[in-house]
Amino acid sequence: SEMADVTGEKIKMELETFDITCDDDAVLDKMLEQCLCHRIKAEDIVNEWFAFSTTKGLLKLTVTSLETFEHEVSTRSWAVCIHCLNRIQAEEEEENLLDSYSTPSKGSQKRALTTPEQPQSKRAAARLSSPGLLLSPASFSPCPTPSQKYSMRGARGEVVATFGAVQGPRWSGKGQTVVQVDLLEGREDSLTSSYKYMFQRLRDVRDVLTEKIEGLGEELRTHFNIEEFSPASLPVQDTVTVLGQVCCDSNGKLNAQSVLLEASQEHGARQVPVDLSELKDYSLFPGQVVVMEGINTSGSRFVASKLYEVCVFTLLLSVAALEPVMVMVACGPYTPSDSLAYDPLIDLINIINKDRPDVCILLGPFVDSKHEQIEKGQVTETFETIFSRCVDSIVDGTRGTGCKLVFIPSQRDVHHHYIYPQPPFTLPDLKKDDVQRVTLAPDPCTLLIGGVTLGLTSTDILFHMGAEEISSATGSDRFSRIMKHMLTQRSYYPLYPPAEEVNMDYERFQQYGLLPLTPDILIVPSEMRYFIKDVIGCACVNPGRLTKGQVGGTYGRFLIQQNPVYEEGRRVSPCIAGQVVKI
């Protein structure tokens, strides 16, 4: 039945996750045929293809390359997987029925296939230490089987993206350094507790949007010495400068023909179609506040000839220089999609114990609402219990390192408020000694770590904006453009209207969802491909997710210089080095 519902459409969608567009039906049919022949799901074949094409230097997706792929992969992993599964099934049938109903004891009850003299593997030993016991899948789901695909993954620990100092910095923190971790705005001005939502008046939403347009507009006006803004919809024969918000003329996706400029309240809030043909370079998305120069001879169409970009601004803090700090960041889900075994999280805890970062930032989902077993309610415990056990194992499992922990929720956390901005988790059972070590932050948030500012959001703005943005910009990549929009629009979620799955509370968004400054590092975990790059002086990172479907994903790590220095009045980027690493 799993196989029956693989379709070309599904494969196409999975490919788009990796930013591969495929309109060739022959290619989709070939992949569909491979799925059916080898009894694998759309997601798996695309994961396999992506891995294969990456090792071959981003091989193009064609029927010929698919044949090579099938030949190489089928001789290797499909056969292995199927053989393993058959062998496991045969063994299980032999086993006593009663055994299969009891919770596995510390070692598994299956007959070991190794010779008895062999010492237990390090991995098994690690699993029996504290975090593993709390997180054994047997405790959450009725059929505790760890993910085959995850445990068989290759390329563990491989560095897949780098930034800054190339000559291998030592990737280990002091563990015990007393680095300050604070919310930039201070507790009073940050979102610290839950609030009442689901009651918004349209008038209030309008006021928030108006304030956004006028605030950014005023800044642009003073920066570029613009005398005043003219109404965009009045017919004039001269070039004028107008201010407004980009929107689409219908419910569909924005394209070059459907761009409207919606003026601010003081200019009548009218919408006027924009002709982009005169603009060489542009990158637009719905909700973007823009200042344009152009002409509108008839009053019915504004022909834009110039687009003004918002400037960015940073924090001015200068204090004595201290030693660099290592920060690690990982984003959920922390289980593979085919099992509720928290193996990837256990591996991460082991890495924290090995590398001893000074700060570790963990973003949700911790209990993922998109996980099949959770969607179908196939769990034996409440979601809250699974979550608190998950957090306990992280806190207990890293206590020896003295590493500071930051927890940030996600809209996909099944037990938490489904609203944006999202209040922080509450951990009533946190031990007294751990309170100093743990920071509970909202989504989105701006953190101050040793005088360095980090902007973070667990909402997949890259994915949402990637689907809406249009551009005719030469030599720039989509991710850099989206990150630049976030920085120049000064917002963790500049898209309006938001994606369907984002429940936006506009008044709270106005208080807590804006970027108070250009951070030194901006972290936006996403389904899209991981990256780490400099965008207008800010180190922007998508560390990826810790698991990608059934296989292991990636996490990020940085070395940052506390209390950055200034050269010629400009702040030097405190991000000495950054990497995205496979789990």
Side-chain angles (χ1 to χ4, degrees):
S1 65
E2 248 338 328
M3 299 311 127
D5 50 29
V6 177
T7 59
E9 206 51 49
K10 269 201 181 154
I11 295 173
K12 193 172 174 172
M13 272 166 63
E14 293 292 344
L15 284 166
E16 279 165 4
T17 305
F18 291 105
D19 225 6
I20 304 172
T21 38
C22 174
D23 298 317
D24 184 351
D25 287 341
V27 169
L28 293 174
D29 289 347
K30 180 77 187 159
M31 283 186 109
L32 183 58
E33 172 192 302
Q34 290 174 348
C35 281
L36 299 171
C37 288
H38 298 283
R39 306 189 62 75
I40 48 177
K41 292 192 273 194
E43 176 187 24
D44 297 355
I45 194 157
V46 172
N47 285 341
E48 287 279 3
W49 162 259
F50 191 71
F52 173 80
S53 77
T54 311
T55 55
K56 295 278 184 280
L58 291 175
L59 195 60
K60 275 262 178 289
L61 184 57
T62 61
V63 175
T64 330
S65 60
L66 274 176
E67 279 165 359
T68 326
F69 157 67
E70 181 169 27
H71 179 71
E72 287 199 24
V73 176
S74 61
T75 49
R76 182 174 48 83
S77 63
W78 292 336
V80 173
C81 287
I82 289 164
H83 176 67
C84 285
L85 287 171
N86 291 346
R87 193 176 63 195
I88 289 164
Q89 273 171 346
E91 275 196 31
E92 275 177 353
E93 280 159 16
E94 279 172 31
E95 268 174 14
N96 182 330
L97 255 183
L98 284 171
D99 276 358
S100 62
Y101 280 105
S102 67
T103 317
S105 57
K106 281 193 180 174
S108 171
Q109 294 146 329
K110 297 200 171 74
R111 256 178 294 131
L113 296 170
T114 51
T115 43
E117 296 86 49
Q118 253 188 343
Q120 226 188 0
S121 73
K122 283 192 188 132
R123 172 145 183 151
R127 187 173 284 153
L128 297 182
S129 68
S130 64
L133 287 178
L134 278 169
L135 288 174
S136 81
S139 51
F140 304 135
S141 62
C143 44
T145 45
S147 166
Q148 282 277 241
K149 206 67 181 277
Y150 178 76
S151 54
M152 285 167 65
R153 73 195 185 285
R156 303 176 187 204
E158 182 190 330
V159 175
V160 287
T162 52
F163 174 90
V166 185
Q167 276 315 306
R170 278 187 44 249
W171 283 108
S172 62
K174 301 285 174 294
Q176 297 291 350
T177 26
V178 195
V179 58
Q180 250 336 92
V181 178
D182 297 298
L183 289 162
L184 177 71
E185 316 273 49
R187 307 276 313 158
E188 341 29 278
D189 296 325
S190 300
L191 177 57
T192 50
S193 59
S194 61
Y195 55 90
K196 290 191 165 75
Y197 43 84
M198 291 177 77
F199 174 67
Q200 295 197 83
R201 290 195 296 262
L202 287 174
R203 185 188 305 129
D204 298 336
V205 175
R206 186 199 64 193
D207 292 346
V208 168
L209 295 173
T210 301
E211 202 168 310
K212 169 182 87 168
I213 297 171
E214 287 169 1
L216 284 170
E218 188 47 39
E219 219 161 274
L220 278 160
R221 198 183 65 71
T222 46
H223 184 260
F224 290 106
N225 297 320
I226 298 166
E227 258 180 61
E228 59 165 358
F229 296 123
S230 312
S233 48
L234 283 188
V236 279
Q237 306 310 310
D238 300 323
T239 300
V240 290
T241 309
V242 300
L243 162 71
Q245 160 175 278
V246 173
C247 54
C248 180
D249 66 8
S250 66
N251 263 340
K253 183 186 177 321
L254 193 65
N255 61 43
Q257 276 64 53
S258 66
V259 175
L260 296 179
L261 184 71
E262 185 168 0
S264 65
Q265 283 302 112
E266 68 176 289
H267 293 125
R270 298 274 298 278
Q271 292 181 336
V272 60
V274 180
D275 181 341
L276 301 173
S277 55
E278 304 282 305
L279 286 177
K280 265 210 314 293
D281 274 7
Y282 63 80
S283 164
L284 302 173
F285 65 89
Q288 179 179 3
V289 175
V290 288
V291 168
M292 287 177 171
E293 210 168 81
I295 194 161
N296 185 354
T297 46
S298 63
S300 61
R301 194 167 196 75
F302 184 82
V303 182
S305 51
K306 183 175 178 184
L307 202 57
Y308 289 95
E309 293 265 286
V310 185
C311 51
V312 292
F313 66 125
T314 47
L315 188 65
L316 296 174
L317 264 184
S318 207
V319 245
L322 300 163
E323 60 212 42
V325 169
M326 178 176 168
V327 177
M328 210 156 125
V329 58
C331 177
Y334 294 93
T335 63
S337 61
D338 58 348
S339 154
L340 271 182
Y342 276 85
D343 287 353
L345 182 60
I346 294 170
D347 289 340
L348 187 72
I349 293 171
N350 291 336
I351 292 168
I352 295 173
N353 282 311
K354 187 173 107 276
D355 293 351
R356 308 177 82 78
D358 301 288
V359 182
C360 184
I361 302 170
L362 299 167
L363 299 105
F366 292 90
V367 188
D368 185 9
S369 59
K370 292 188 177 180
H371 193 290
E372 195 181 356
Q373 279 172 276
I374 285 171
E375 273 185 340
K376 293 181 176 167
Q378 297 169 340
V379 285
T380 51
E381 302 231 30
T382 65
F383 299 139
E384 283 80 3
T385 311
I386 299 179
F387 171 68
S388 68
R389 202 176 286 191
C390 185
V391 170
D392 288 349
S393 13
I394 299 166
V395 175
D396 295 347
T398 58
R399 192 172 284 120
T401 66
C403 162
K404 293 262 171 91
L405 297 169
V406 181
F407 290 102
I408 298 172
S410 150
Q411 304 242 339
R412 281 168 58 176
D413 270 303
V414 69
H415 65 293
H416 201 49
H417 301 283
Y418 190 48
I419 187 76
Y420 187 90
Q422 195 175 26
F425 289 128
T426 47
L427 299 178
D429 304 332
L430 201 58
K431 296 190 183 73
K432 271 242 167 63
D433 318 344
D434 294 319
V435 174
Q436 289 304 305
R437 205 164 65 88
V438 174
T439 303
L440 299 172
D443 170 37
C445 65
T446 312
L447 296 177
L448 196 55
I449 298 181
V452 174
T453 52
L454 283 86
L456 297 119
T457 176
S458 57
T459 301
D460 199 342
I461 179 66
L462 269 180
F463 195 68
H464 299 166
M465 292 243 314
E468 298 294 341
E469 184 247 13
I470 58 164
S471 84
S472 99
T474 41
S476 74
D477 68 292
R478 176 182 287 181
F479 294 148
S480 298
R481 292 195 304 269
I482 295 173
M483 302 311 286
K484 188 174 177 185
H485 284 314
M486 287 178 74
L487 296 170
T488 55
Q489 297 283 309
R490 311 231 173 122
S491 164
Y492 282 109
Y493 200 91
L495 195 61
Y496 176 83
E500 220 166 282
E501 62 200 62
V502 176
N503 299 309
M504 180 78 75
D505 185 295
Y506 284 92
E507 288 180 84
R508 292 303 189 293
F509 178 67
Q510 172 120 5
Q511 285 171 281
Y512 309 118
L514 304 177
L515 267 166
L517 77 175
T518 298
D520 296 308
I521 300 172
L522 181 54
I523 299 170
V524 281
S526 168
E527 293 291 333
M528 309 296 268
R529 191 176 161 76
Y530 50 77
F531 62 79
I532 174 164
K533 52 182 65 178
D534 181 290
V535 178
I536 50 177
C538 170
C540 295
V541 196
N542 166 15
R545 297 185 181 280
L546 200 65
T547 57
K548 198 95 175 128
Q550 297 181 15
V551 289
T554 48
Y555 64 92
R557 57 186 185 187
F558 313 93
L559 282 180
I560 56 179
Q561 179 58 57
Q562 296 188 71
N563 307 331
V565 291
Y566 288 84
E567 279 173 19
E568 296 155 22
R570 287 194 54 217
R571 186 179 169 94
V572 175
S573 171
C575 188
I576 301 168
Q579 293 185 337
V580 177
V581 189
K582 284 194 173 175
I583 181 77

